[in-house]
Amino acid sequence: MTEKYVDLHIHTNASDGTFSPSEVVKRAKSLGFSAIAITDHDTTKGIAEAMQKGKELDIEIVPGIELSAYYYNTEMHILGFYFSWEDGLLNQRLVQMREKRRNRAAKIVEKLRYIDIELNMDEIMQNASEDKAVGRLHIAAQLVKQGYCKDINDAFKKYIGKGCVGYVPKLKLTPAKAAELIKESGGIPIVAHPALSKIEHLLSRLIDVGMMGIEVFHSEHSLQDTESLLNFTQKQNLLITGGSDCHGYGKPEILIGKIRLPYHYLEKLKESVPQLV
Ligand code: AMP
Ligand code: ZN
Ligand code: FE
Ligand code: FE
C-alpha cells in the first residue's frame, strides 16, 4: 500500500490566506494529499465550503482553528481540531475575537496615521466582512500595495510587528483558557509551531494547562527544531501534528506541499477525539 499524507495547518481567505477553501482543496488534491485541515485564525467560515469540495474530490477535510493566546506578553498560537465547529461555546467566543480584530485593525490604521501612513481602511475591512477574520497580514499587504513597504516582512519589521509603532495585541486569551474552550467544544488543543513562536521553554507548562500535543512538523521549523520537538513529544506521549501553514500568496512562498505528514499521525489524533471513537 502506498503511504497516505496529510497537511494539518492551512489558511484560506476566510482569514489571512489568499486561496478560497475550494482552491485550497483542489491544490491539496493535485499534490496527492489524502487529508488536510482547515485552520483559519478565529473563524470556521471556510470549513463548510472545504468539506463540500472535499466530498467532490474525495479528500478528507479536518475541521480546525488557530487561536492566539498570550502568556504574560508572549504570544503563541493554539490549534484546535475536531471541535464542534457549527455551534458551541468556542464558536460564540470566535464572534467576539473577530469583533476585537476589527477594532484592532482600525486602531493599527489610526496609529500608522500618526506617522503619515494613510492606509485605505475600506480595502482592509473587506477582509472583515461576513465571518472573516481580519489580521495583520492584510494590513501588511495593504502597506505593500500602497508603496509604504517593499514586502510583507518589511511591513512587520518596520510598522506592525511587536515593538513597532503600529503594534496592537488581540483579545488576551490565556493558553489555559484557549485549551479549555477547545476541549469544551469537543476538540483537541495542540501547541502550534513552538519553535517559530520561540516558546519551547513554555511547553511543559502548556501541557500542564491542558494542551494535548505539539505541532512538531512545520514549514518554518528547522531540522534541529523538529528533532528536539519530536523527542519531547515522544518522551511525554503527546499527540504530534504537522502542517505547512500555507497562506497562499500571503507569504513569500506557497507552502502547501512543503510538509507531508504521514497519515498515521492523523489516525492517532482521531483516536483521541471522544465523538469519533
Ligand atoms: P495576527 O493574527 O493578525 O496578529 O497576524 C498574524 C499573522 O501574521 C500570522 O499568520 C503570521 O503568519 C503572520 N506574520 C507574523 N509575523 C510575520 C512576519 N514577520 N512576516 C510575515 N508574516 C508574519
Ligand atoms: Zn495567518
Ligand atoms: Fe500561527
Ligand atoms: Fe497559521
Side-chain angles (χ1 to χ4, degrees):
M1 208 190 87
T2 51
E3 181 72 271
K4 299 201 298 179
Y5 293 98
V6 308
D7 180 337
L8 296 179
H9 191 156
I10 304 184
H11 295 271
T12 76
N13 61 5
S15 67
D16 56 3
T18 62
F19 298 143
S20 70
S22 298
E23 168 105 49
V24 164
V25 177
K26 266 193 267 174
R27 283 179 181 257
K29 183 70 190 175
S30 70
L31 288 164
F33 283 104
S34 297
I36 56 164
I38 301 295
T39 55
D40 275 309
H41 302 281
D42 301 346
T43 180
T44 56
K45 180 182 157 58
I47 297 173
E49 183 186 320
M51 284 191 168
Q52 178 72 27
K53 198 75 191 169
K55 255 191 211 140
E56 217 177 280
L57 300 180
D58 190 30
I59 171 167
E60 184 180 343
I61 307 299
V62 176
I65 193 84
E66 185 172 22
L67 302 178
S68 303
Y70 296 84
Y71 186 73
Y72 294 110
N73 283 325
T74 305
E75 182 179 349
M76 64 195 73
H77 291 173
I78 312 299
L79 293 165
F81 297 105
Y82 292 110
F83 60 100
S84 45
W85 55 277
E86 288 165 300
D87 47 39
L89 200 63
L90 177 55
N91 247 316
Q92 291 169 26
R93 289 303 299 275
L94 294 178
V95 177
Q96 294 168 359
M97 290 176 201
R98 290 194 295 270
E99 183 59 30
K100 183 88 185 183
R101 277 178 172 277
R102 266 189 275 279
N103 298 337
R104 170 197 188 221
K107 242 183 241 168
I108 294 175
V109 170
E110 186 188 322
K111 282 184 150 195
L112 292 176
R113 257 192 227 122
Y114 298 153
I115 53 166
D116 293 321
I117 290 180
E118 297 281 344
L119 290 182
N120 184 328
M121 193 66 190
D122 292 343
E123 284 191 16
I124 291 169
M125 284 307 173
Q126 275 168 17
N127 302 295
S129 62
E130 302 161 67
D131 290 335
K132 292 182 181 178
V134 67
R136 278 186 293 167
L137 212 47
H138 297 122
I139 294 173
Q142 195 68 28
L143 280 163
V144 175
K145 188 178 169 189
Q146 290 187 221
Y148 291 109
C149 296
K150 68 173 174 6
D151 55 33
I152 299 278
N153 228 348
D154 192 37
F156 274 90
K157 217 159 60 194
K158 282 194 189 135
Y159 299 124
I160 58 173
K162 200 172 171 189
C164 299
V165 50
Y167 177 76
V168 181
K170 285 167 292 199
L171 189 129
K172 292 247 177 178
L173 202 62
T174 64
K177 191 74 199 164
E180 187 191 315
L181 273 173
I182 292 167
K183 282 180 166 172
E184 264 175 8
S185 296
I188 309 292
I190 302 280
V191 183
H193 48 64
L196 175 63
S197 299
K198 301 190 176 67
I199 52 158
E200 293 99 324
H201 60 293
L202 294 175
L203 283 175
S204 295
R205 204 183 293 264
L206 292 172
I207 302 307
D208 286 347
V209 301
M211 303 301 167
M212 294 172 67
I214 291 175
E215 185 181 42
V216 168
F217 302 94
H218 184 273
S219 47
E220 291 185 68
H221 280 177
S222 70
L223 208 58
Q224 208 177 359
D225 296 334
T226 309
E227 264 170 29
S228 84
L229 289 169
L230 198 56
N231 222 329
F232 181 87
T233 46
Q234 282 168 343
K235 264 193 206 137
Q236 308 227 18
N237 204 18
L238 298 166
L239 291 167
I240 293 168
T241 74
S244 63
D245 207 354
C246 182
H247 285 69
Y249 297 111
K251 295 269 155 118
E253 206 182 339
I254 294 176
L255 294 169
I256 186 168
K258 292 268 164 198
I259 297 288
R260 301 175 75 83
L261 187 75
Y263 193 90
H264 65 85
Y265 288 108
L266 177 58
E267 217 128 66
K268 191 98 188 161
L269 182 69
K270 289 205 258 188
E271 281 166 18
S272 51
V273 181
Q275 62 274 28
L276 291 183
V277 287

